[in-house]
């Protein structure tokens, strides 16, 4: 088993929480992990990117080579496009469609959407809207994790346990909200890939 995942977004969106849940679930399955994080700015609003490598064999480097990522999981659509050079030919992009416009020259959203829609393997969804409907606006990152789950090659139950573990200190209501968000994203991805 091997999965090379690029997680991307903007500071404050919860990319590192996604990485923590996936990492915990991978360790529970007895897999090896390596992670490298890049923060564009230390405060909210800068780009955040994480290389997460998971394998049943030893992992020698924590960085994913260009053309080597199995998945790009992004909370911000332009950030998903930024990392396309790292995506393998048969790789998947799982991305939010709701932009976080944090720069004055943000590209036209219609152009960004056309590029995303042209990708051969993509699950493109408005995680913000799904989070508002199904759980809480603050759980948009976990909706995205749910949408990525079918592509991770890690049992959904192990990912749910990772959610329980990392949110337990915040109380049962927060755990249940995040589990609802995860399941909503998971259902969405399953519907999209069964077409």
């Amino acid at each position: 088993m091997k999965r090379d995942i690029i997680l991307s977004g903007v500071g404050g969106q919860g990319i590192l929480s996604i990485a923590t849940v996936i990492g915990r679930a991978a360790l529970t399955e007895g897999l090896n992990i390596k992670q490298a994080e890049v923060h564009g700015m230390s405060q909210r609003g800068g780009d955040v990117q994480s290389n997460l490598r998971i394998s049943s064999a030893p992992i020698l480097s924590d960085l994913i080579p260009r053309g080597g990522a199995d998945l790009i999981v992004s909370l911000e659509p332009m950030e998903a496009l930024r990392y396309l050079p790292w995506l393998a030919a048969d790789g998947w992009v799982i991305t939010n469609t709701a932009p976080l416009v944090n720069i004055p020259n943000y590209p036209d959203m219609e152009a960004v959407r056309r590029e995303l829609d042209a990708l051969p393997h993509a699950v493109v969804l408005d995680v913000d809207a799904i989070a508002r409907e199904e759980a809480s606006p603050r759980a948009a990152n976990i909706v995205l994790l749910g949408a990525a789950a079918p592509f991770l090659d890690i049992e959904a139950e192990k990912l749910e346990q990772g959610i329980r573990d990392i949110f337990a200190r915040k109380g049962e209501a927060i755990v249940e909200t995040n589990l609802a968000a995860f399941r909503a994203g998971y259902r969405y991805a399953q519907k999209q890939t069964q077409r």
Side-chain angles (χ1 to χ4, degrees):
M1 183 278 183
K2 180 190 82 61
R3 282 291 177 274
D4 286 335
I5 306 161
I6 292 179
L7 301 166
S8 66
V10 173
Q13 286 187 300
I15 284 296
L16 300 182
S17 293
I18 293 173
T20 301
V21 171
I22 295 171
R24 188 169 293 230
L27 290 173
T28 301
E29 288 206 355
L31 299 169
N32 299 296
I33 64 168
K34 286 215 185 238
Q35 181 179 358
E37 298 168 7
V38 177
H39 304 272
M41 291 172 39
S42 59
Q43 69 264 31
R44 291 177 182 265
D47 63 313
V48 175
Q49 181 258 342
S50 179
N51 282 231
L52 184 60
R53 305 189 83 185
I54 304 168
S55 178
S56 53
I59 303 166
L60 302 178
S61 172
D62 53 357
L63 296 178
I64 299 169
R66 282 181 176 256
D70 300 298
L71 290 172
I72 294 174
V73 179
S74 185
L75 276 161
E76 210 292 321
M78 185 182 70
E79 294 298 324
L81 296 175
R82 178 192 309 255
Y83 294 102
L84 286 179
W86 278 265
L87 189 64
D90 60 347
W92 280 79
V93 173
I94 318 304
T95 189
N96 188 10
T97 58
L100 200 155
V101 180
N102 59 345
I103 55 174
N105 59 341
Y106 194 95
D108 174 61
M109 229 4 251
E110 287 182 23
V112 170
R113 185 60 195 250
R114 278 193 305 276
E115 285 195 52
L116 291 171
D117 290 341
L119 295 172
H121 306 291
V123 175
V124 180
L125 67 163
D126 186 339
V127 297
D128 297 342
I130 294 170
R132 278 191 303 276
E133 284 176 29
E134 300 284 338
S136 162
R138 297 191 64 182
N141 61 329
I142 304 301
V143 171
L144 186 68
L145 171 60
F151 306 94
L152 295 174
D153 207 18
I154 296 174
E155 293 177 27
E157 295 78 23
K158 299 258 172 69
L159 293 162
E160 288 192 5
Q161 187 57 51
I163 291 167
R164 284 185 188 91
D165 292 346
I166 71 160
F167 291 108
R169 62 183 170 78
K170 295 185 177 189
E172 191 59 28
I174 299 295
V175 169
E176 289 305 318
T177 295
N178 281 283
L179 289 172
F182 175 84
R183 292 170 184 151
Y186 192 84
R187 284 190 305 272
Y188 185 92
Q190 287 183 313
K191 286 181 202 165
Q192 295 304 304
T193 57
Q194 291 174 356
R195 287 183 176 179

